[in-house]
Amino acid sequence: MGGVPELTPLDVLRTTFGYDGFRGEQEAIIDRVVGGGDALVLMPTGGGKSLCYQIPAMVRPGVGVVVSPLIALMHDQVTALENLGVRAGFLNSSQSPDEQRTVERQALAGEIDLLYLAPERLDLARTQEFLDRVSVSVFAIDEAHCVSQWGHDFRPEYLKLSVLGRRWPAVPRIALTATATPATRREIVERLGLPDARTFVASFDRPNIGYRIEPKQQPLRQLVSLIRAEHDGDAGIVYCLSRTSVEATAASLVKEGIDALPYHAGLPASVRSANQSRFLRADGVVMVATIAFGMGIDKPDVRFVAHLDLPRSIEGYYQETGRAGRDGLPATAWMAYGLADVVQQRQMITGSEGSAAHKRLLGQHLDAMLGLCETLRCRRQLMLDYFGEASQACGNCDTCVDPPTPWDGTVAAQKLLSTMVRLKRERNQQFGAGQLIDILLGRRTARVEQWRHHELSTFGIGTELIESQWRAVVRQLLAAGLLAVSSDGHHTLEITAESWPVLRGERRVPLREDAVVRAGAGRKRAASAVKGSAAAGDLSTDDRALFERLRAWRSETARDASVPAYVVFPDATLAAIARQRPATLDALFTISGVGAKKLESYGDAVLTVVRGGEARADAAPRS
Ligand code: ADP
Ligand code: ZN
């Protein structure tokens, strides 16, 4: 490294990224790769995977090549690095041949330390010959689970990546993913040809995310009150199952004065990319989306992820909610879940075309997800358990904070089930939850009269519960498999083999009492919690005012430079500045997230805002 002073990884972490120390296994991983060894890194979203390859690429001589499937995000990733003073570039199909040639020239001349590449390029002879001439310091394979054929993100191009080890055996490789299952891990090692990789598994816990699952009553109103009470002005993602509900929900939020945008695969590509870009760049946009949205979105300040429909598996749910709070600040994962969700998903599985084995697998995933919804235990503990990680009750989920009351639902279950048995035996009829509940409550509706259900001996035997409680009973029996959705396509319910021991009194049915979502419950929370962004959670009133001024300065600066706001400074850094109120550049430099380049670019402006002055994003005021 003729003449160039040698930088240690810690130097780079401190000077370039402005952080004090490594997190978890980052240091060991970086040492392994800097030393020329291969590594497989399993870390949850927000765990800090990027530094694990960025720092080796900067410390080792040559160019680090990052293979990433997320072409749409490469530009932002490179801009963020440039803002830190890191020399980086990317090559993908969005560029003109001229732009590509420029980047190639820079790589050959050693003028960049990091080069992002789309995986399909590596299959081209042209790219391979180009890489033969570049001195490659490390190959990083991001989102490495895309190589798994059974996973949810399979990309055939990833199978070709085994060429890296064969063609450039001397270059260390690091594969990274946030997918935890042992099967995926084995597949990555085998298919990428990484037998000598040392595996680093981080804890999958995300303690800063508070998990909450509420009974679904008026989902939109529940969502709006969550946003108003706890996430006013925050960026968030709202997941819906269908395109129609994405559009309807986004429109309703906008009507409520919330800055929301829709995203689903049915929108034109240009609208999708414009909406994604606004979500990434502007502060406080709420994206309403199908699960087509989100992979690789590395926006660190997403403060909440809301689910208005039941996810199909715990894996999917954990990945989606993991997009909240990557910056480590408090964030919320919230879901509204109800009887209709269970009926719909069970119906979808029964009616699907797949093989019996496939349906069984879908059924198992759904059962685990329902188990999470109906649990009396700590939700986080249950999820980590599912991923094979032991943990304690967390204190930051709804079942920890406000433990649900268990009650003995045996008699209620017997009343419901025996009504169903009677209808079937005496009249060969099957009905859905609505009619069954009307019968139990003794309501003489038009449909009850039409079917003469008031003549049943179980008519009106369930008045000790109200309708929402009966719906909760049906939902929990369905979740537990003590009831089933029939395959007639009409969402009617039927008895299962498991129902009989309950009817015979041989099996008890413990249920959880739903937290009651009263009108005004949201308002009550709003009054007790300080309104506003959760990122500023522990700031005093004065500090919070400064934080908001810093955010305003950041918005303007980001807009003028057309970069995402978090590329200027993440929320955590602004909160630390608001708390510590540095008076000098030296003091500012000690704050986590302030590196040398950012000190130079923004230091004076930040100090002016801290002093209470008006800092322009731009020396010449615009009109
Ligand atoms: P991942 O790719 O694993 O989802 P990132 O690499 O995007 O996570 O890191 C998540 C956030 O944590 C980023 O904002 C990053 O800058 C920050 N971060 C990573 N490592 C550290 C560290 N050692 N100290 C402080 N912040 C860190
Ligand atoms: Zn908990």
Side-chain angles (χ1 to χ4, degrees):
M1 308 212 309
V4 184
E6 257 189 65
L7 282 177
T8 67
L10 192 60
D11 294 334
V12 177
L13 181 77
R14 292 196 168 144
T15 322
T16 305
F17 293 93
Y19 297 137
D20 296 335
F22 287 109
R23 272 190 198 158
E25 300 235 63
Q26 280 177 332
E27 186 164 25
I29 297 163
I30 291 168
D31 280 350
R32 167 82 182 166
V33 179
V34 169
D38 296 336
L40 170 60
V41 174
L42 301 111
M43 256 188 214
T45 310
K49 287 186 283 299
S50 325
L51 290 185
C52 297
Y53 57 83
Q54 288 166 348
I55 292 183
M58 293 163 67
V59 170
R60 283 175 64 90
V63 183
V65 173
V66 184
V67 182
S68 161
L70 308 160
I71 295 178
L73 299 173
M74 282 184 184
H75 180 256
D76 279 351
Q77 283 169 327
V78 166
T79 313
L81 285 167
E82 284 170 349
N83 241 287
L84 289 162
V86 179
R87 308 177 308 167
F90 66 92
L91 283 175
N92 69 33
S93 49
S94 74
Q95 294 160 305
S96 71
D98 257 3
E99 287 173 316
Q100 300 191 17
R101 266 192 297 277
T102 306
V103 175
E104 286 178 8
R105 212 164 33 236
Q106 289 172 328
L108 289 166
E111 286 165 15
I112 51 180
D113 286 322
L114 273 154
L115 176 64
Y116 286 76
L117 272 187
E120 51 272 24
R121 296 215 141 215
L122 281 162
D123 203 27
L124 306 175
R126 189 176 172 293
T127 309
Q128 296 186 358
E129 281 153 21
F130 158 69
L131 289 177
D132 283 340
R133 293 188 291 139
V134 175
S135 149
V136 179
S137 56
V138 54
F139 283 112
I141 301 152
D142 205 5
E143 312 287 353
H145 63 281
C146 289
V147 79
S148 159
Q149 222 144 359
W150 306 111
H152 44 354
D153 291 325
F154 176 57
R155 311 231 173 184
E157 324 75 274
Y158 263 65
L159 293 173
K160 303 281 175 62
L161 295 182
S162 59
V163 71
L164 299 180
R166 290 196 306 273
R167 189 157 175 142
W168 299 282
V171 180
R173 284 172 297 153
I174 172 172
L176 310 103
T177 176
T179 300
T181 62
T184 314
R185 202 184 306 176
R186 276 194 304 275
E187 263 188 305
I188 293 174
V189 169
E190 193 182 308
R191 295 180 176 209
L192 293 181
L194 281 168
D196 300 325
R198 187 181 296 164
T199 302
F200 298 87
V201 187
S203 165
F204 271 69
D205 190 9
R206 300 284 311 282
N208 60 311
I209 302 180
Y211 279 90
R212 274 152 46 192
I213 302 179
E214 269 181 21
K216 195 189 268 188
Q217 290 174 346
Q218 291 168 280
L220 198 68
R221 223 209 56 214
Q222 290 168 267
L223 175 65
V224 169
S225 74
L226 169 84
I227 296 176
R228 293 245 169 85
E230 296 170 56
H231 292 288
D232 197 24
D234 281 348
I237 305 175
V238 177
Y239 282 112
C240 303
L241 216 52
S242 74
R243 297 173 185 186
T244 343
S245 56
V246 164
E247 306 243 350
T249 306
S252 309
L253 289 182
V254 168
K255 234 182 259 154
E256 294 283 341
I258 293 162
D259 191 0
L261 293 170
Y263 189 104
H264 60 70
L267 290 169
S270 59
V271 175
R272 278 204 313 264
S273 89
N275 288 1
Q276 169 168 311
S277 165
R278 234 198 109 234
F279 173 72
L280 291 175
R281 275 150 212 273
D283 262 335
V285 175
V286 174
M287 188 68 110
V288 185
T290 58
I291 53 172
F293 177 77
M295 183 167 71
I297 293 291
D298 54 3
K299 185 175 169 60
D301 55 357
V302 175
R303 296 264 68 84
F304 68 93
V305 170
H307 281 83
L308 287 182
D309 291 301
L310 182 70
R312 293 191 181 90
S313 68
I314 290 188
E315 285 95 331
Y317 175 65
Y318 204 66
Q319 231 172 51
E320 286 145 28
T321 53
R323 291 169 188 145
R326 291 162 79 110
D327 53 12
L329 294 172
T332 308
W334 177 89
M335 180 183 4
Y337 146 82
L339 173 58
D341 288 294
V342 195
V343 173
Q344 185 191 17
Q345 295 247 359
R346 289 260 195 246
Q347 175 86 56
M348 239 150 60
I349 295 174
T350 334
S352 74
E353 309 244 297
S355 66
H358 184 63
K359 287 186 188 179
R360 203 157 44 241
L361 190 71
L362 294 179
Q364 284 162 0
H365 282 171
L366 179 60
D367 286 342
M369 188 65 219
L370 293 173
L372 173 68
C373 293
E374 304 293 359
T375 188
L376 290 159
R377 284 174 64 197
C378 165
R379 301 216 198 258
R380 184 186 322 270
Q381 199 177 25
L382 189 150
M383 287 189 282
L384 290 174
D385 215 19
Y386 186 78
F387 297 128
E389 188 176 328
S391 66
Q392 301 294 311
C394 76
N396 188 22
C397 70
D398 52 357
T399 53
C400 280
V401 172
D402 188 9
T405 320
W407 65 286
D408 186 347
T410 311
V411 173
Q414 285 169 339
K415 288 180 178 176
L416 175 79
L417 294 172
S418 59
T419 303
M420 292 170 62
V421 169
R422 249 163 250 265
L423 282 168
K424 186 81 193 169
R425 284 216 179 125
E426 295 169 11
R427 309 177 174 203
N428 198 26
Q429 291 173 348
Q430 261 178 211
F431 283 87
Q435 183 77 356
L436 293 167
I437 292 172
D438 282 344
I439 296 171
L440 289 163
L441 290 175
R443 289 176 173 159
R444 287 185 80 126
T445 64
R447 282 193 83 207
V448 163
E449 304 233 326
Q450 176 197 343
W451 293 99
R452 312 192 63 75
H453 283 163
H454 52 283
E455 290 166 8
L456 288 168
S457 59
T458 57
F459 185 72
I461 59 166
T463 49
E464 73 278 20
L465 300 182
I466 60 170
E467 168 157 2
S468 62
Q469 291 171 318
W470 273 116
R471 293 182 72 83
V473 171
V474 177
R475 193 190 74 219
Q476 295 185 63
L477 293 180
L478 268 172
L482 298 177
L483 262 189
V485 179
S486 76
S487 49
D488 64 5
H490 297 294
H491 293 183
T492 64
L493 301 176
E494 62 190 25
I495 301 285
T496 70
E498 313 267 313
S499 311
W500 293 106
V502 176
L503 278 163
R504 291 194 296 260
E506 295 160 12
R507 175 171 173 175
R508 307 216 64 81
V509 184
L511 297 178
R512 59 175 274 163
E513 194 168 282
D514 276 350
V516 188
V517 186
R518 281 170 308 253
R523 252 177 284 137
K524 204 158 70 206
R525 209 183 298 117
S528 63
V530 190
K531 213 170 138 99
S533 165
D538 60 341
L539 294 179
S540 71
T541 317
D542 277 1
D543 293 351
R544 181 183 297 266
L546 175 52
F547 176 77
E548 292 305 335
R549 289 211 311 281
L550 287 163
R551 283 229 303 184
W553 162 79
R554 178 180 68 179
S555 289
E556 197 182 337
T557 307
R559 209 169 32 243
D560 286 354
S562 48
V563 296
Y566 62 81
V567 165
V568 176
F569 281 121
D571 282 352
T573 302
L574 293 191
I577 295 172
R579 209 175 295 118
Q580 296 177 32
R581 301 180 174 251
T584 63
L585 288 174
D586 280 347
L588 180 59
F589 193 42
T590 64
I591 288 175
S592 180
V594 184
K597 173 82 189 291
K598 291 199 176 171
L599 190 71
E600 188 189 313
S601 315
Y602 310 123
D604 290 324
V606 168
L607 293 182
T608 310
V609 179
V610 172
R611 276 196 302 270
E614 285 276 314
R616 302 290 320 183
D618 171 347
R622 312 167 150 233
S623 45

